[in-house]
Amino acid sequence: MSEHHPNETPSRVTMLMADAAVALLFAAVGGLVIFDSLRIGAGWGDDGPQAGYFPFFVGVALVVSGLVTAVSTLRYEAHWHRAFATREQLHRVLQVLTPTAVYVGAIFVLGIYVSSALFIAWFMVRHGGFDWRLTVPVAVGVPLAFFLLFERWFLVALPKGPIERMLGF
Amino acid sequence: MEDIGNLLHGFSVALTLQNLAFMLVGILLGVLIGVLPGLGGANGVAILLPLTFSMPPATAIIMLSCIYWGALFGGAITSILFNIPGEPWSVATTFDGFPLARQGRAGEALTAAFTSSFVGALFAVIMVTFLAPVVARFALKFGPAEFFSVQFLTFCSFVGMSGSQPFKTVAAMMLGFALAAVGLDTVTGQLRLTFGSQELLRGFDFLVAVIGLFGVGEILVTMEEGLAFKGGAARINPRVVLDTWKQLPRYWVTSVRATLIGCWMGITPGGATPASFMSYGIAKRMSKNGRNFGHGEVEGVVAPETAAHAAGTSALLPMLTLGIPGSPTAAVLLGGLLIWGLQPGPLLFVEQKDFVWGLIASMYLGNIVGLAVVLTTVPWWAAILRIPFPIIAPVILVICAIGAYTVHNALFDVLLMLVFGVLGYLFKKLSYPLAPLVLALVLGDMAESSFRQAMLLSQGSLSIFWANPLVGSITSLALLLLLWPLLGRLLISSVTTE
């Protein structure tokens, strides 16, 4: 997985930076857990352990493991110059991640069916280079199949938007 | 002998027309999930779990466990034909499976893979049949301290046996515990870690986490590789199957060894993935043809597949008897039990006989059905893989989004799924293990409540974990495993300085 494609440029983010950042993030979450546990009481109440008793230790373990990982990354020299990924790889990841994020946002507004159709269509045209003769049937057919499966067969209501409302659902 | 009677009763539960139909549906869905990238046993079952809420629990678990068997079978198809492991546990199958396929012996490799999967699973089920009631009877005597020590052992063995850095395993696990603590504390009624947010009141559902970590994360990793499916055609005819079957008994030593490794790794939460690697490695070292491994040796397909299936199957033993799942998928199934209102653990064998023995009987049937299905339908699955990635990828992401939404009918969960997806990508890149996080998220509440009850009994003294020989030895073993990476390093450094 760490094998980089030969003619791709490494990004400026090194393994060291990524590894240390994630480890420190763990430690920070741990700090947050400790803080909140102390707020609700991490000691011994009248009726036994308080609500923060167990999470407190979890927080401590998170802080310790995060800090140790961050420090041991610094000592691991091979990490210093190895790139986290190539620019092209990060670009490809963002090519999926960005539209997916937009898709999730669109679900809040348009409901899941219309957003899914647009998402599949965008992906097929943009990354697959398909023309409309294949794109339209797939992009409409898949959400329609899900609509029948969930709303009709399993009677599970999925989020719907203005267009479904106009059609009377 | 009582167990045999129970098992026969289980067959009568499992062998209704409705259950058989759901078994077949489960296997087909499972293979599909196993074949498609980004959908796997754990998140596939997680996505389909909400659809089973209205079914009777026995039918639901039969279908879901069949999805699991199907996914185990399906992983082998992509590994052998396309050199793409559909599942992490089938990575080791690519080593010899793909070279075989390139030599035009794909049919042979597939038959060997499916058959040895079946053999591994069958022996694991037989073991579950006879061992599970014994373990359950034994565990009936457990108090909170014993339960916590067993859970502690589970988590410590992750640290001790993990290949990656032990502190990363601890960090991933603790994140799981922290996420499990979010929301309403059922004992004191206090809100924990919600920071005033309404959405966080529900807490983090592990199903959403699994869909994000394994599903969306996997798609991101696949996309990074800029992957395009390229592979050979699959043709299996009865002749190839029979010829391969004639050949397979030669590898019985490898099979037995792989089964033992698999059962062990499944009961202890090593899981199917390390089991398959370990089995492949040992087979390579011990086999006469060891040097040929990696260039297309049937034995190199038999070893990892047998172990992966044996591990995947035996992972259900601790789940049913102790309420501790041996793999992420078993963890999702455990979550299902809780949702259907069944408390996993030793009492299940007393109170829910129909359910438990119906499930165990369905393991036998499901694997037989599974073997028959995959042997006959391989070409279809291979055809699915020829659908271009730009069509498959968005459809899988849509399925993940629907799956995350249906868990609680909450749009916020879809957002969380995306966050977990990014986390899953980072975890894979930085080699944090995912399984401990999922297990901690599932078991967090249970572990905490048994810890609290134990502390209540002892008035806050940790000495309760050494109060009797049983709990004392489990706790000590757990601590030993926890400190194992440290001890190992000390040993190595003392040897090298001498």
Side-chain angles (χ1 to χ4, degrees):
Chain A
M1 210 168 288
S2 53
E3 251 58 54
H4 292 158
H5 297 252
N7 41 13
E8 294 188 350
T9 38
S11 78
R12 239 177 263 162
V13 184
T14 60
M15 275 312 248
L16 173 74
M17 282 144 74
D19 220 353
V22 171
L24 290 177
L25 194 69
F26 271 110
V29 172
L32 208 61
V33 174
I34 293 176
F35 169 78
D36 195 68
S37 305
L38 290 176
R39 180 184 63 83
I40 52 176
W44 197 262
D46 300 330
D47 50 351
Q50 285 177 314
Y53 189 77
F54 188 78
F56 177 77
F57 291 106
V58 169
V60 171
L62 255 179
V63 170
V64 171
S65 54
L67 290 181
V68 172
T69 309
V71 170
S72 63
T73 323
L74 285 176
R75 285 172 40 201
Y76 187 49
E77 249 177 82
H79 258 46
W80 286 38
H81 302 292
R82 222 179 86 210
F84 175 69
T86 65
R87 275 162 193 270
E88 287 79 359
Q89 283 177 328
L90 286 183
H91 182 68
R92 279 196 294 267
V93 170
L94 284 179
Q95 274 182 334
V96 188
L97 194 56
T98 320
T100 310
V102 173
Y103 165 60
V104 171
I107 296 175
F108 281 80
V109 185
L110 295 174
I112 212 156
Y113 298 109
V114 177
S115 323
S116 301
L118 294 175
F119 179 57
I120 294 171
W122 191 89
F123 222 95
M124 284 179 69
V125 172
R126 185 68 210 276
H127 295 299
F130 296 105
D131 66 6
W132 61 271
R133 269 168 302 185
L134 187 63
T135 306
V136 172
V138 175
V140 174
V142 171
L144 194 67
F146 283 128
F147 179 82
L148 294 175
L149 185 70
F150 282 90
E151 311 274 338
R152 288 275 172 272
W153 191 20
F154 282 105
L155 298 175
V156 176
L158 295 183
K160 286 182 269 297
I163 296 178
E164 287 94 336
R165 242 170 275 140
M166 255 166 47
L167 292 171
F169 290 103
Chain B
M1 280 309 99
E2 187 201 339
D3 297 336
I4 304 258
N6 281 330
L7 182 63
L8 288 177
H9 174 65
F11 274 108
S12 72
V13 174
L15 272 174
T16 66
L17 203 60
Q18 188 197 10
N19 286 350
L20 280 175
F22 276 112
M23 210 179 276
L24 194 64
V25 171
I27 294 280
L28 289 171
L29 278 173
V31 181
L32 180 67
I33 283 165
V35 165
L36 292 174
L39 290 175
N43 58 349
V45 176
I47 288 170
L48 292 164
L49 196 55
L51 296 183
T52 64
F53 289 170
S54 55
M55 294 181 187
T59 308
I61 190 95
I62 285 174
M63 186 176 102
L64 290 176
S65 60
C66 281
I67 293 176
Y68 185 26
W69 315 139
L72 282 165
F73 278 116
I77 300 178
T78 52
S79 308
I80 290 169
L81 293 182
F82 296 87
N83 204 20
I84 302 161
E87 300 291 336
W89 55 70
S90 41
V91 172
T93 311
T94 61
F95 298 160
D96 278 280
F98 188 60
L100 275 171
R102 273 205 303 206
Q103 294 162 23
R105 293 161 70 195
E108 210 179 312
L110 286 166
T111 310
F114 296 150
T115 314
S116 34
S117 303
F118 174 74
V119 170
L122 188 66
F123 279 103
V125 181
I126 293 174
M127 183 206 64
V128 169
T129 309
F130 291 100
L131 212 54
V134 180
V135 176
R137 238 167 273 150
F138 182 64
L140 274 177
K141 300 189 195 89
F142 278 19
E146 281 82 2
F147 267 114
F148 183 75
S149 68
V150 171
Q151 283 154 348
F152 188 54
L153 177 68
T154 311
F155 286 107
C156 290
S157 59
F158 264 121
V159 180
M161 305 202 297
S162 72
S164 56
Q165 294 116 303
F167 277 101
K168 285 191 171 173
T169 311
V170 175
M173 193 184 294
M174 289 303 148
L175 186 65
F177 277 120
L179 292 176
V182 174
L184 192 72
D185 172 30
T186 44
V187 180
T188 61
Q190 271 176 304
L191 291 179
R192 298 195 294 196
L193 291 163
T194 55
F195 303 102
S197 156
Q198 287 286 322
E199 295 286 2
L200 287 179
L201 273 182
R202 274 191 310 272
F204 288 89
D205 199 291
F206 73 99
L207 292 173
V208 177
V210 165
I211 295 169
L213 290 170
F214 291 87
V216 180
E218 191 63 43
I219 292 275
L220 293 179
V221 173
T222 313
M223 200 59 193
E224 180 190 270
E225 298 292 302
L227 195 100
F229 298 130
K230 290 183 203 85
R235 212 169 288 141
I236 290 195
N237 53 42
R239 228 197 121 82
V240 175
V241 174
L242 286 177
D243 284 349
T244 315
W245 278 354
K246 262 183 231 151
Q247 211 198 119
L248 283 179
R250 249 190 280 157
Y251 307 123
W252 68 274
V253 184
T254 309
S255 298
V256 171
R257 198 167 45 221
T259 307
L260 291 177
I261 294 172
C263 288
W264 171 250
M265 296 294 273
I267 295 173
T268 64
T273 310
S276 61
F277 277 104
M278 195 191 271
S279 172
Y280 183 85
I282 292 178
K284 186 176 175 170
R285 215 169 302 151
M286 310 275 271
S287 163
K288 284 194 302 274
N289 306 323
R291 258 183 302 161
N292 226 347
F293 270 47
H295 304 290
E297 187 65 42
V298 174
E299 200 176 348
V301 174
V302 172
E305 279 295 311
T306 313
H309 252 220
T313 308
S314 46
L316 295 188
L317 176 97
M319 182 201 94
L320 284 173
T321 54
L322 301 170
I324 295 171
S327 74
T329 313
V332 177
L333 289 175
L334 179 102
L337 295 192
L338 294 173
I339 293 170
W340 301 318
L342 300 173
Q343 185 64 44
L347 275 177
L348 205 59
F349 279 77
V350 182
E351 290 169 355
Q352 300 286 343
K353 278 203 164 135
D354 277 7
F355 174 81
V356 170
W357 289 101
L359 170 62
I360 293 177
S362 82
M363 292 179 175
Y364 288 92
L365 297 170
N367 274 297
I368 296 171
V369 175
L371 181 66
V373 166
V374 284
L375 278 178
T376 45
T377 54
V378 159
W380 301 356
W381 307 115
I384 286 179
L385 277 173
R386 285 200 197 87
I387 300 174
F389 194 67
I391 301 179
I392 292 259
V395 172
I396 289 171
L397 287 168
V398 167
I399 293 173
C400 288
I402 294 176
Y405 175 80
T406 47
V407 174
H408 286 297
N409 289 333
L411 274 175
F412 181 71
D413 283 348
V414 185
L415 215 60
L416 276 182
M417 171 203 80
L418 193 63
V419 175
F420 277 112
V422 176
L423 202 64
Y425 169 71
L426 285 175
F427 269 37
K428 285 228 174 84
K429 290 288 287 182
L430 301 172
S431 51
Y432 282 89
L434 289 176
L437 194 163
V438 175
L439 246 52
L441 193 50
V442 177
L443 287 182
D445 285 342
M446 263 190 275
E448 181 178 356
S449 88
S450 47
F451 181 71
R452 271 182 175 173
Q453 285 165 11
M455 286 294 102
L456 265 177
L457 287 174
S458 70
Q459 285 303 305
S461 160
L462 288 175
S463 64
I464 190 165
F465 296 116
W466 280 274
N468 62 53
L470 175 67
V471 69
S473 47
I474 300 176
T475 314
S476 307
L477 182 64
L479 284 176
L480 185 72
L481 276 171
L482 182 64
L483 298 174
W484 188 251
L486 204 68
L487 292 174
R489 204 171 297 170
L490 284 178
L491 273 175
I492 290 168
S493 65
S494 73
V495 168
T496 45
T497 46
E498 264 166 26

